[in-house]
């Protein structure tokens, strides 16, 4: 065995150890069960349920004051699908229009990544049933046409069931996708006041979904991500729903126990004491928090006992965490971590990038407080669900550090927000974003993260997750950690030191350092005050070169020597050793899944150990 193979093998062993043996074992046993046929999920069969699912008339009302109906849903936040009388094609790629093959195959024979088709998520999104929420909303807010909206909802559900017979085709491939359908149908039933008097076919539809979820639950648990929270929540929600309607058979009780146990276990395991979530992703944090909101809402409506004190403690911490990352002008957040376009519980008419609806609902449910004091579209979910919203205000802490997850947030007195990412990996990282800085001034994102773009496009995925797509330093043309697979890095970085200091709430400083898997050392110092930002990078231990990147807001930029002038900010770069190259290059960012745009990037290259200073001056006249 060659040295390189031995080194690679040792990296794999180290990574498996870090992933935790129990998690790896769950995944391995699942794969063995599928290959051998031992897992009973391959033997599932169920008849097609053709409805009607929701009863007519659903509710007696005069509409909800101030809310208007919606006429479309937004796939990935940007691809509009109209809510017409005719259902959409369930197997068509929502971006390219390509139709998926093998629609009638058992789900376990269908590959995750088929290069002839493209990203399977572009099939799955329409089958998450976000449209069920929209139709249910329309029934409530458009009293003159409520019967039409309800008939269309039933028509789409019937059409989906006809084209997606149980356990055949791509839309049955993933237990999480089945879980999201259950969660959305449950909230739709609550909106239509039919959770406790549901139709037989709707309850049967929920049962056949739970039969799909249960046999692969431990695989989802083994992922240590939102698959586990979503699937456990769906088992609990679905079983509580069935029990409420008199279906209290042994298998329903088993689903209820499993769902409740694993949901509480996942919340305790995956959400740290400071609210950080295992996926190190702001968007996946939202998915997780929406899932907890749905579980709690259904629990209340189904009159089930409260979850554990630990559950609510972690849910409160997770709510405060996401609230801390909000940009209040727009509801946006930094694009930190993986972002695959997922969004649950989309009851408001806010944009995909607006996180205020989730933060507001979670704060009301778990903190008994309003995250956003003023009234706006972020209150629509609470209004539709008939929740009280006249609570105290959730405070914002400054500076704010979530050390368990590896985040620091600074805010100056002139509405500048800085977000700093440093490695504290208890779970697998998905992006090489150590020491990334996101900078926002008056709601404008001046220094930016990359997003994800696509999981199926391997070349694009490798770029968007790499250090090249973050505001940090790359050593010797390699990534910060060796990439072992599409979603897996090895040799996880560890922050060696971290300090955060506030000086009379006028100046804030951060210092942090790490040494990577090949001995390169990076020490970053950040100083933020009202008018400027200084970033000092001391680097050593690399072989041939290091490249500092600043990913800038799109617009007109002029590079004059080592000085770059933009519309809102001026950047001056200095180095203690000669700068080999400084130029304005082109990079990419993806704020929406399967959609990417260009942005300017300053690259500063050095060949020797040194200290690089980047000095940013905010131009108030241009704000």
């Amino acid at each position: 065995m060659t040295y390189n193979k031995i080194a690679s093998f040792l990296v794999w062993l180290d990574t498996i150890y870090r992933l935790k043996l129990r998690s790896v074992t769950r995944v391995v046993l699942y794969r063995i069960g599928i290959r051998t046929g031992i897992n009973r999920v391959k033997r599932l069969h169920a008849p097609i349920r053709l409805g009607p699912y929701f009863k007519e008339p659903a509710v007696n009302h005069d509409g909800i004051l101030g809310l208007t109906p919606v006429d479309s849903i937004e796939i990935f936040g940007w691809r509009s699908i109209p809510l017409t009388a005719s259902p959409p094609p369930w197997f068509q790629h929502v971006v390219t229009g390509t139709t998926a093959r093998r629609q009638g195959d058992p789900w376990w024979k269908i590959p995750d990544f088929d290069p002839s088709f493209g990203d399977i998520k572009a099939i799955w999104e329409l089958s998450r049933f976000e449209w069920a929420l929209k139709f249910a909303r329309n029934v409530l807010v458009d009293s003159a046409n409520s019967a039409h909206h309800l008939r269309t909802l039933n028509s789409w559900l019937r059409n989906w069931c006809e084209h997606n017979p149980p356990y055949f085709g791509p839309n049955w491939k993933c237990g999480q996708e089945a879980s999201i359908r259950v969660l959305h149908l449950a909230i739709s039933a609550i909106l239509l006041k039919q959770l406790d008097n549901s139709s037989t076919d709707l309850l049967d539809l929920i049962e056949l979904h739970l039969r799909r979820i249960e046999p692969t639950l431990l695989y989802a648990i083994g992922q240590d991500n939102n698959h586990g929270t979503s699937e456990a929540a769906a088992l609990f929600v679905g079983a509580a729903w069935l029990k409420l309607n008199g279906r209290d058979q042994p298998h329903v009780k088993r689903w209820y126990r499993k769902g409740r146990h694993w949901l509480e276990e996942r919340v305790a395991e995956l959400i740290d004491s400071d609210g950080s979530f295992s996926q190190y992703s702001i968007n996946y944090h939202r998915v997780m928090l929406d899932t907890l909101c749905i579980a709690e809402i259904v629990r209340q409506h189904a009159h089930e006992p409260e979850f554990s004190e630990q559950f609510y403690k972690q849910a409160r911490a997770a709510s405060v965490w996401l609230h801390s990352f909000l940009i209040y002008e727009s509801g946006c957040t930094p694009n930190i971590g993986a972002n695959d376009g997922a969004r649950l519980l989309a009851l408001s008419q806010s944009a995909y990038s607006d996180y205020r609806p989730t933060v507001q609902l979670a704060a009301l449910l778990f903190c008994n407080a309003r995250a956003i004091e003023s009234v706006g579209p972020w209150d629509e979910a609470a209004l539709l669900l008939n929740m009280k919203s006249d609570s105290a205000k959730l405070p914002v802490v400054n500076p704010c550090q979530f050390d368990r997850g590896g985040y620091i947030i600074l805010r100056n007195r002139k509405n500048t927000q800085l977000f700093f990412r440093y490695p504290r990996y208890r779970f697998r990282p998905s992006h090489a974003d150590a020491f990334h800085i996101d900078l926002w001034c008056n709601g404008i994102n001046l220094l930016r993260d990359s997003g994800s773009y696509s999981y199926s496009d391997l070349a694009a995925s490798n770029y968007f997750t790499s250090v090249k797509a973050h505001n940090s330093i790359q050593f010797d043309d390699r990534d910060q950690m060796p990439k072992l697979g599409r979603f897996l890095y090895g040799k996880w970085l560890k922050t060696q030191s971290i300090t955060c200091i506030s000086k009379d709430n006028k100046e804030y400083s951060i210092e942090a350092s790490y040494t990577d898997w090949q001995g390169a050392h990076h020490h970053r110092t950040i100083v933020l005050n009202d008018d400027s930002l200084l970033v000092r990078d001391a680097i050593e231990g690399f072989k041939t070169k290091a490249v500092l990147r600043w990913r800038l807001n799109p617009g007109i930029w002029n590079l004059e020597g080592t000085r770059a002038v933009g519309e809102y900010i001026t950047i001056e770069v200095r180095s203690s050793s000669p700068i080999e190259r400084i130029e304005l290059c082109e990079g990419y960012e993806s704020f929406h899944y399967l959609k990417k745009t260009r942005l300017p990037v300053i690259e500063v290259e050095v060949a020797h150990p040194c200290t690089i200073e980047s000095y940013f001056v905010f131009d108030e006249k241009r704000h």
Side-chain angles (χ1 to χ4, degrees):
M1 185 179 289
T2 65
Y3 173 80
N4 287 338
K5 288 183 177 180
I6 293 173
S8 178
F9 176 71
L10 292 176
V11 169
W12 269 103
L13 281 182
D14 175 73
T15 306
I16 290 171
Y17 170 77
R18 291 173 182 271
L19 287 170
K20 302 184 185 72
L21 183 60
R22 62 184 179 182
S23 296
V24 174
T25 300
R26 285 166 181 156
V27 173
V28 170
L29 289 177
Y30 161 79
R31 297 195 184 281
I32 292 173
I34 293 297
R35 286 182 178 273
T36 61
I38 294 174
N39 192 314
R40 66 182 183 278
V41 75
K42 293 180 68 172
R43 301 187 293 276
L44 290 176
H45 296 281
I48 299 173
R49 303 301 176 190
L50 298 180
Y53 308 94
F54 290 100
K55 302 172 185 178
E56 200 172 345
V59 289
N60 294 318
H61 60 84
D62 296 318
I64 295 180
L65 185 65
L67 299 189
T68 57
V70 295
D71 58 9
S72 66
I73 60 172
E74 300 295 324
I75 302 296
F76 302 134
W78 66 274
R79 178 70 169 88
S80 182
I81 304 293
L83 298 178
T84 60
S86 300
W90 304 111
F91 301 108
Q92 190 176 86
H93 193 292
V94 294
V95 178
T96 66
T98 306
T99 300
R101 301 178 300 175
R102 307 176 70 171
Q103 298 169 17
D105 283 6
W107 68 263
W108 43 271
K109 288 187 176 181
I110 300 171
D112 288 333
F113 301 101
D114 184 347
S116 67
F117 168 71
D119 199 319
I120 197 171
K121 283 182 56 59
I123 288 277
W124 286 349
E125 285 296 312
L126 264 176
S127 292
R128 289 186 162 190
F129 289 7
E130 180 185 323
W131 42 265
L133 296 176
K134 303 297 189 185
F135 283 126
R137 173 199 165 99
N138 286 352
V139 171
L140 293 180
V141 306
D142 187 16
S143 56
N145 299 294
S146 61
H148 164 72
H149 296 307
L150 195 65
R151 284 195 299 270
T152 309
L153 169 57
N154 278 321
S155 172
W156 278 43
L157 278 172
R158 178 187 177 100
N159 187 269
W160 188 90
C161 290
E162 288 174 336
H163 287 85
N164 294 273
Y167 321 128
F168 287 88
N171 288 319
W172 286 101
K173 179 167 182 56
C174 179
Q176 185 179 40
E177 300 303 310
S179 299
I180 291 171
R181 291 195 286 272
V182 171
L183 299 178
H184 279 158
L185 287 173
I187 294 298
S188 300
I190 289 173
L191 293 173
L192 299 175
K193 296 180 172 56
Q194 296 182 33
L195 191 73
D196 61 350
N197 62 341
S198 301
S199 70
T200 298
D201 276 14
L202 181 56
L203 294 173
D204 287 348
L205 182 62
I206 296 304
E207 279 214 37
L208 65 87
H209 273 76
L210 301 191
R211 292 185 189 280
R212 165 64 187 88
I213 297 165
E214 183 192 22
T216 57
L217 177 62
L218 289 185
Y219 170 74
I221 299 300
Q223 301 299 309
D224 280 338
N225 62 16
N226 60 38
H227 281 253
T229 52
S230 299
E231 296 183 36
L235 273 183
F236 167 78
V237 164
W241 186 0
L242 294 169
K243 286 175 56 185
L244 188 63
N245 284 270
R247 298 197 179 190
D248 206 16
Q249 301 96 326
H251 64 276
V252 175
K253 292 179 180 178
R254 183 180 72 246
W255 292 335
Y256 178 88
R257 290 193 302 271
K258 278 189 177 182
R260 188 177 184 111
H261 165 77
W262 282 113
L263 179 58
E264 294 201 355
E265 190 276 344
R266 288 291 83 188
V267 167
E269 174 67 16
L270 303 184
I271 302 174
D272 252 313
S273 56
D274 65 1
S276 301
F277 183 52
S278 64
Q279 287 185 271
Y280 310 114
S281 156
I282 294 186
N283 191 60
Y284 281 150
H285 192 106
R286 175 170 68 174
V287 170
M288 173 273 295
L289 198 53
D290 279 336
T291 301
L292 302 192
C293 287
I294 294 171
E296 174 62 10
I297 290 166
V298 172
R299 183 202 66 76
Q300 293 179 11
H301 280 266
H303 313 295
E304 293 292 341
E306 289 188 346
F307 294 114
S308 67
E309 183 179 340
Q310 178 77 1
F311 175 93
Y312 293 111
K313 179 181 178 182
Q314 302 304 91
R316 283 192 295 272
S319 303
V320 170
W321 188 98
L322 190 56
H323 176 238
S324 301
F325 283 82
L326 275 183
I327 306 299
Y328 279 90
E329 291 87 346
S330 60
C332 291
T333 66
N335 202 15
I336 292 173
N339 185 349
D340 71 346
R343 179 171 60 156
L344 307 186
L345 202 56
L347 287 173
S348 77
Q349 296 194 65
S350 299
Y352 164 81
S353 58
D354 188 348
Y355 282 61
R356 289 172 294 188
T358 291
V359 173
Q360 187 79 311
L361 184 63
L364 291 170
L365 274 172
F366 302 123
C367 306
N368 192 31
R370 290 181 63 84
I372 297 91
E373 197 166 13
S374 60
V375 176
W378 42 87
D379 291 300
E380 291 182 11
L383 184 59
L384 288 163
L385 292 165
N386 198 28
M387 292 173 52
K388 293 182 179 180
S389 59
D390 53 345
S391 304
K393 175 72 169 64
L394 198 65
V396 176
V397 177
N398 184 43
C400 185
Q401 183 172 10
F402 300 102
D403 188 56
R404 299 286 294 176
Y407 310 90
I408 294 178
I409 304 170
L410 306 179
R411 292 176 170 87
N412 70 12
R413 295 176 299 178
K414 294 187 177 180
N415 200 27
T416 298
Q417 290 133 302
L418 182 145
F419 304 87
F420 179 59
R421 177 81 181 101
Y422 60 97
R424 280 279 195 256
Y425 300 135
R426 193 161 67 89
F427 301 93
R428 56 177 166 151
S430 63
H431 279 216
D433 59 358
F435 287 11
H436 168 80
I437 293 173
D438 236 71
L439 183 69
W440 297 68
C441 294
N442 292 324
I444 300 171
N445 193 186
L446 298 180
L447 298 178
R448 300 172 171 232
D449 206 327
S450 60
S452 296
Y453 179 59
S454 173
Y455 293 156
S456 68
D457 184 336
L458 193 55
S461 176
N462 286 340
Y463 167 77
F464 280 93
T465 60
S466 73
V467 66
K468 292 180 182 179
H470 297 92
N471 295 313
S472 191
I473 291 184
Q474 181 181 25
F475 297 111
D476 295 323
D477 288 327
R478 67 173 182 271
D479 220 335
Q480 291 177 323
M481 299 168 284
K483 199 158 191 181
L484 305 181
R486 198 180 297 262
F487 303 111
L488 184 63
Y489 280 102
K491 289 294 182 181
W492 301 352
L493 292 175
K494 182 178 180 180
T495 302
Q496 293 167 317
S497 63
I498 181 76
T499 60
C500 179
I501 300 172
S502 171
K503 295 182 180 179
D504 301 323
N505 293 322
K506 295 179 181 179
E507 182 177 280
Y508 306 93
S509 63
I510 301 169
E511 286 197 42
S513 64
Y514 74 82
T515 302
D516 77 4
W517 56 301
Q518 292 197 19
H521 182 76
H522 185 185
H523 185 283
R524 173 160 276 187
T525 302
I526 300 168
V527 180
L528 175 69
N529 57 42
D530 287 344
D531 303 310
S532 65
L533 165 69
L534 172 65
V535 180
R536 183 181 298 112
D537 293 301
I539 53 176
E540 62 182 353
F542 54 96
K543 295 177 181 177
T544 59
K545 67 176 181 178
V547 178
L548 167 67
R549 291 183 178 87
W550 295 119
R551 298 165 50 80
L552 310 171
N553 62 299
I556 298 173
W557 284 87
N558 295 309
L559 183 62
E560 304 162 354
T562 60
R563 186 170 180 265
V565 180
E567 185 178 359
Y568 304 103
I569 198 168
T570 299
I571 308 170
E572 179 76 33
V573 179
R574 299 183 287 266
S575 174
S576 63
S577 73
I579 294 175
E580 303 292 321
R581 175 178 63 91
I582 180 169
E583 61 181 313
L584 202 55
C585 305
E586 187 175 77
Y588 290 93
E589 63 182 349
S590 175
F591 281 100
H592 297 88
Y593 196 70
L594 293 182
K595 191 174 186 179
K596 62 182 178 179
T597 54
R598 293 179 172 87
L599 85 167
V601 181
I602 293 178
E603 292 191 354
V604 182
E605 182 180 326
V606 295
H608 304 284
C610 64
T611 298
I612 305 173
E613 289 189 342
S614 302
Y615 188 60
F616 303 79
V617 177
F618 313 132
D619 193 334
E620 288 190 28
K621 299 190 297 295
R622 296 172 183 172
H623 282 203

